[in-house]
C-alpha cells in the first residue's frame, strides 16, 4: 500500500468480497453435485467454525490444503474430483465437480465420491441437493424445437422447463422434482463455441436458482403455520374494536376489560411478528436473487418447452405471493391493533377529562359554599365582637351619662351603630391584608 494513503481497515476485505465466489471453468463432459445445508439454531460464530472444521476434515482425509482459519470459501482439488465450499449467512454449500459422464444421463452422482461418514456428519440440515450434468451438444441446430433425446425419460414432461442460453450455444433443462436419491436434476448441453467460463457461470446460476428457491420457500410453512393464529387474532381484534365503539358501552369497567383483551391480542401479534420477521426478510432477499439469476441466463425460448422464468412464474411465484400476503396481513393487523389502542386511549382520555371537569365543578361548588359560610361567620363575628364592645362601652359611658343627664341605656344604644361599623371596617381591612399577604 502506498505509504501516504490512509487506508480504511476493511477496504481490502470489501474488495476481495467481490471476487470471493468466482464461477469455475467447466468443459463438457462433466458432472456436478451441489449440497446446501442450513444451519440449525445455534450461534452463527460457532456454526462457522463447525462448518470450516468439517471442510478441513475432508481436506485432511485426502491430504490437501484446508481452508484458511477465517475463510468463508475454499476450492480444493482432490484428484478424481474438485470441491467448492462456500459459507453464506444461513447455509453452507458444497459443490462437487467430476470429469466425464456415463452413457445414461444422471447414472453417476458425484456425491458418491465423498465419504459416507463425512456426509452423514455434515452440520445442519440439507435444504438443496442438485445433480447436474454438462454434456456436449452435437445434435441439431440451435433453433431445434422440443426437448432433446438426452432429456427423454429423465424429466417429467408436465414440469419440464428449459431454454437456450449463451447466445444459443447452450441449452439447459430441468423439472425441479426429486429423483430417487432426493436430488433435483439439471441437464446442460453445450456446443464447442461456448467457452468454459460461460458454462461455469451458467452452471453456477442454475445451482443458485434452485438453492435460493429452496431457501426462500422456507417461509411458506411458517406462514401456513401461523395462519390459524393470525385468523384468531384478527377475529379477537374485530370483536374488541366493536366493543370499544358500541353505543351502549359502559364506562370504566368496560374500558379495563377492553384494554386487557387488546393487550393480549397485541402481544400475540407482536410474538408472531418477531417469529416471522427474519424469515420473511430472508425470503424476499432470496427471491430477489433468484429472479436476478434467471434474468442473467438471458433465456431464449425452445419451442414446446416452457422457460425457467415461466415455470417459476406459474409454480414458485404463487407460493411467494402467499408468503407476501401473510406478511402484509400481519403488518396490517399490527397497524390495526395500534389504531385500536389509540382509539381506546382517546376514549379513556375523554373519560378522564369528563371526570376532571366534574371534579372541578364539585370543587367550585365547595369553594362557593365555603365562601358563603365564611361570610356568614364574618357577619356573626361582627355581631359577637360588637356585642362585647358595646358592653364595654356601656361601662365606660355610664359615669358620663350621669353627668350630662342622659339615661345610660340611651347612651349605650347610641354607641351601637358606630361600634358595629368600626368592627366591620376593622375585620374587612384585616381580611384584605391577609389576602394580600397570601397573594405574595
Amino acid at each position: 500500500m502506498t505509504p501516504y494513503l490512509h487506508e480504511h481497515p476493511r477496504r481490502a476485505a470489501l474488495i476481495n468480497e467481490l471476487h470471493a465466489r468466482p464461477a469455475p471453468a467447466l468443459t463438457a463432459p462433466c458432472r456436478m453435485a451441489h449440497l446446501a445445508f442450513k444451519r440449525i439454531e445455534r450461534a452463527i460464530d460457532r456454526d462457522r467454525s463447525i462448518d470450516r472444521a468439517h471442510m478441513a476434515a475432508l481436506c485432511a482425509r485426502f491430504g490437501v490444503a484446508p481452508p484458511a482459519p477465517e475463510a468463508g470459501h475454499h476450492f480444493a482439488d482432490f484428484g478424481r474430483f474438485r470441491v467448492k465450499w462456500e459459507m453464506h449467512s444461513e447455509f453452507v454449500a458444497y459443490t462437487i465437480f467430476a470429469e466425464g459422464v456415463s452413457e445414461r444421463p444422471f447414472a453417476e452422482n458425484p456425491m458418491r465420491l465423498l465419504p459416507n461418514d463425512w456426509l452423514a456428519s455434515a452440520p445442519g440440515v440439507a435444504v438443496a441437493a442438485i445433480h447436474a450434468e454438462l454434456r456436449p451438444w452435437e445434435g441439431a441446430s440451435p433453433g431445434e424445437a422440443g426437448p432433446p433425446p438426452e432429456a427423454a425419460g429423465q424429466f417429467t414432461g408436465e414440469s419440464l422447463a428449459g431454454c437456450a442460453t449463451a447466445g444459443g450455444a447452450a441449452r439447459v433443462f430441468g423439472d425441479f422434482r426429486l429423483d430417487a436419491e432426493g436430488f433435483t436434476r439439471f441437464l446442460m448441453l453445450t456446443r464447442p463455441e461456448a467457452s468454459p467460463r460461460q458454462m461455469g457461470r451458467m452452471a453456477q446460476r442454475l445451482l443458485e436458482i434452485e438453492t435460493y428457491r429452496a431457501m426462500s420457500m422456507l417461509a411458506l410453512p411458517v406462514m401456513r403455520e401461523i395462519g390459524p393464529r393470525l385468523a384468531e387474532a384478527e377475529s379477537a381484534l374485530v370483536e374488541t374494536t366493536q366493543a370499544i365503539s358500541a353505543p351502549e358501552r359502559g364506562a370504566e369497567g368496560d374500558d379495563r376489560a377492553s384494554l386487557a383483551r387488546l393487550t393480549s391480542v397485541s402481544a400475540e401479534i407482536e410474538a408472531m411478528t418477531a417469529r416471522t420477521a427474519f424469515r420473511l426478510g430472508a425470503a424476499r432477499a432470496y427471491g430477489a436473487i433468484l429472479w436476478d439469476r434467471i434474468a442473467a441466463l438471458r433465456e431464449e425460448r425452445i419451442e414446446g418447452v416452457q422457460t425457467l422464468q415461466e415455470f417459476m412464474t406459474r409454480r414458485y411465484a404463487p407460493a411467494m405471493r402467499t408468503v407476501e400476503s401473510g406478511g402484509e396481513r400481519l403488518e396490517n393487523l399490527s397497524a390495526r391493533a395500534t389504531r385500536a389502542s389509540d382509539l381506546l386511549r382517546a376514549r379513556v382520555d375523554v373519560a378522564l377529562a369528563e371526570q376532571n371537569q366534574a371534579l372541578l365543578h364539585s370543587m367550585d361548588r365547595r369553594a362557593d359554599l365555603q365562601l358563603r359560610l365564611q361570610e356568614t361567620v364574618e357577619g356573626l363575628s361582627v355581631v359577637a365582637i360588637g356585642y362585647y364592645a358595646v358592653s364595654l362601652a356601656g361601662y365606660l359611658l355610664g359615669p358620663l351619662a350621669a353627668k350630662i343627664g342622659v339615661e345610660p341605656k340611651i347612651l349605650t344604644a347610641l354607641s351601637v351603630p358606630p361600634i358595629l361599623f368600626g368592627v366591620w371596617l376593622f375585620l374587612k381591612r384585616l381580611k384584605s391584608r391577609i389576602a394580600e399577604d397570601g397573594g405574595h
Side-chain angles (χ1 to χ4, degrees):
M1 186 67 189
T2 306
Y4 51 79
L5 289 181
H6 298 288
E7 186 179 29
H8 190 281
R10 296 186 180 273
R11 178 173 177 263
L14 295 175
I15 289 293
N16 293 334
E17 184 65 24
L18 300 176
H19 311 283
R21 297 174 177 89
L26 299 179
T27 304
C30 71
R31 61 194 190 278
M32 62 202 79
H34 180 80
L35 302 170
F37 294 93
K38 182 182 180 300
R39 297 183 179 90
I40 57 178
E41 301 301 328
R42 291 197 301 250
I44 291 179
D45 290 340
R46 183 186 172 198
D47 276 344
R48 290 183 177 276
S49 64
I50 291 175
D51 292 331
R52 195 176 293 110
H54 188 65
M55 181 61 191
L58 179 66
C59 294
R61 184 173 297 196
F62 288 86
V64 300
E70 298 299 326
H73 59 93
H74 187 62
F75 200 96
D77 191 342
F78 293 83
R80 295 176 58 198
F81 60 93
R82 296 173 294 162
V83 175
K84 182 182 179 182
W85 169 75
E86 300 173 286
M87 283 199 300
H88 298 263
S89 58
E90 267 199 287
F91 63 93
V92 61
Y94 302 88
T95 308
I96 304 96
F97 303 92
E99 300 297 331
V101 293
S102 60
E103 183 177 351
R104 182 170 62 88
F106 304 110
E108 297 180 7
N109 192 330
M111 183 199 65
R112 300 170 192 165
L113 299 172
L114 299 176
N116 290 334
D117 60 332
W118 181 85
L119 282 171
S121 63
V125 291
V127 292
I130 307 164
H131 183 187
E133 289 190 356
L134 179 62
R135 291 173 172 262
W137 182 21
E138 300 174 353
S141 64
E144 176 189 23
E150 291 88 342
Q154 302 298 327
F155 302 108
T156 302
E158 184 269 338
S159 300
L160 178 64
C163 67
T165 184
R171 287 185 168 193
V172 296
F173 298 93
D175 60 1
F176 297 93
R177 291 183 178 271
L178 299 181
D179 62 12
E181 294 182 296
F183 282 71
T184 53
R185 294 175 171 179
F186 286 108
L187 178 63
M188 298 173 285
L189 306 177
T190 176
R191 287 186 173 277
E193 57 265 31
S195 70
R197 287 295 179 187
Q198 277 183 302
M199 294 302 96
R201 288 192 295 270
M202 180 184 70
Q204 182 167 292
R205 287 162 187 162
L206 287 174
L207 299 179
E208 289 177 346
I209 286 171
E210 173 59 9
T211 301
Y212 288 119
R213 179 207 60 79
M215 290 299 298
S216 61
M217 291 188 70
L218 290 176
L220 183 60
V222 174
M223 296 310 300
R224 284 177 174 170
E225 183 180 345
I226 70 167
R229 294 172 57 193
L230 199 57
E232 292 175 3
E234 195 168 22
S235 177
L237 183 59
V238 170
E239 293 176 1
T240 305
T241 305
Q242 290 175 346
I244 293 173
S245 59
E248 67 278 3
R249 178 182 177 83
E252 188 175 354
D254 288 342
D255 286 340
R256 283 200 298 266
S258 296
L259 180 60
R261 288 195 300 268
L262 191 57
T263 301
S264 177
V265 172
S266 298
E268 177 71 10
I269 294 171
E270 287 304 314
M272 289 187 287
T273 300
R275 181 184 174 189
T276 59
F278 175 78
R279 191 76 269 148
L280 287 174
R284 294 187 184 104
Y286 293 138
I289 296 174
L290 180 145
W291 292 113
D292 287 343
R293 297 301 183 266
I294 290 178
L297 283 176
R298 296 194 299 275
E299 293 184 281
E300 299 176 23
R301 176 177 295 279
I302 299 173
E303 287 299 324
V305 180
Q306 62 183 330
T307 64
L308 272 66
Q309 183 171 6
E310 289 174 336
F311 177 89
M312 290 296 176
T313 301
R314 291 180 57 244
R315 306 293 184 88
Y316 167 80
M320 298 312 295
R321 279 196 291 270
T322 299
V323 172
E324 287 291 340
S325 175
E328 292 174 0
R329 186 180 174 191
L330 189 57
E331 290 176 3
N332 292 336
L333 194 58
S334 179
R336 287 167 56 192
T338 301
R339 290 196 296 270
S341 298
D342 293 340
L343 177 63
L344 183 58
R345 190 178 297 109
R347 186 183 183 92
V348 171
D349 290 343
V350 170
L352 288 175
E354 291 176 351
Q355 292 178 2
N356 292 336
Q357 188 175 11
L359 180 61
L360 289 174
H361 282 308
S362 175
M363 292 175 64
D364 287 342
R365 289 182 57 194
R366 191 175 295 118
D368 185 57
L369 291 174
Q370 202 170 21
L371 179 61
R372 292 181 183 180
L373 180 62
Q374 183 179 356
E375 290 175 349
T376 303
V377 171
E378 287 176 359
L380 294 175
S381 299
V382 170
V383 173
I385 296 173
Y387 173 78
Y388 287 109
V390 169
S391 298
L392 292 174
Y395 287 111
L396 293 173
L397 295 174
L400 181 63
K403 289 182 179 182
I404 62 176
V406 180
E407 261 320 302
K409 292 183 178 179
I410 294 175
L411 193 60
T412 302
L414 292 173
S415 67
V416 170
I419 289 174
L420 291 178
F421 177 76
V423 171
W424 173 81
L425 185 62
F426 170 75
L427 291 177
K428 183 177 180 181
R429 289 182 177 178
L430 180 63
K431 180 181 177 183
S432 299
R433 183 175 297 176
I434 291 174
E436 291 175 0
D437 292 342
H440 296 310

